[in-house]
Amino acid sequence: MPNKFIVILAAAAVLVAVGAVYGKFFAVERCPPTGVIREITVTAKKDGWRFTPEEIQADCGDKLAFTVVNEDEYDHGIAIDAFAISRRMPKESTIEFEISLTKAGEFPYYCSVPCGEGVVDGVKRTHFDMIGRIKVKND
Ligand SMILES: [Cu+2]
């Protein structure tokens, strides 16, 4: 029968090891504010079923000040799940919001309002093609 103290020590060591592995491979990297504010304009061009740009790069800790333009005669939406954003974009309107990038990684933004489909330059595009990503690096 092993000493109770040794069993507790072994259990604690396992917990610390699991925590270290989790922190290295799975945990979200958090970071403090950098004080940088990046002005980002995202446009849903008329009958394009595409957000422009489809990639935004920033540093962890930055703030993004979004201006999102809907040029269409029908509604779109923009959702960024990682930062709890979900906004409707009424037809021919511009909306604004800010997010603080408190974590590093790649986070998608996408159209959250079913908006149909069409053919753009001979290629079929749909609501589901309205997707982009925010690449947040932490160095
Ligand atoms: Cu849309």
Side-chain angles (χ1 to χ4, degrees):
M1 181 94 175
N3 186 320
K4 207 188 285 177
F5 186 67
I6 290 179
V7 171
I8 290 170
L9 259 189
V14 167
L15 274 180
V16 167
V18 167
V21 168
Y22 179 82
K24 186 148 179 64
F25 296 105
F26 300 106
V28 175
E29 257 187 280
R30 303 251 163 207
C31 52
T34 56
V36 173
I37 301 175
R38 293 178 196 256
E39 309 267 345
I40 307 285
T41 299
V42 175
T43 306
K45 290 233 188 289
K46 197 169 165 54
D47 292 324
W49 288 278
R50 179 196 302 276
F51 281 126
T52 306
E54 292 180 322
E55 187 177 303
I56 296 164
Q57 298 194 1
D59 294 312
C60 200
D62 290 356
K63 189 176 269 193
L64 300 185
F66 276 91
T67 300
V68 189
V69 182
N70 180 7
E71 295 184 346
D72 276 315
E73 291 165 4
Y74 40 87
D75 292 6
H76 290 287
I78 185 165
I80 313 171
D81 293 344
F83 297 99
I85 293 291
S86 181
R87 297 283 303 271
R88 197 169 184 99
M89 298 155 58
K91 61 178 183 172
E92 296 170 323
S93 71
T94 298
I95 63 167
E96 294 179 336
F97 58 86
E98 288 187 352
I99 59 176
S100 293
L101 302 174
T102 51
K103 52 195 173 186
E106 283 193 25
F107 308 106
Y109 53 96
Y110 60 92
C111 182
S112 52
V113 172
C115 56
E117 60 182 46
V119 175
V120 182
D121 299 328
V123 178
K124 184 182 171 187
R125 294 193 65 85
T126 79
H127 163 70
F128 297 102
D129 294 314
M130 296 187 69
I131 186 161
R133 58 194 173 155
I134 305 170
K135 285 186 169 179
V136 184
K137 64 178 185 344
N138 198 6
D139 35 38

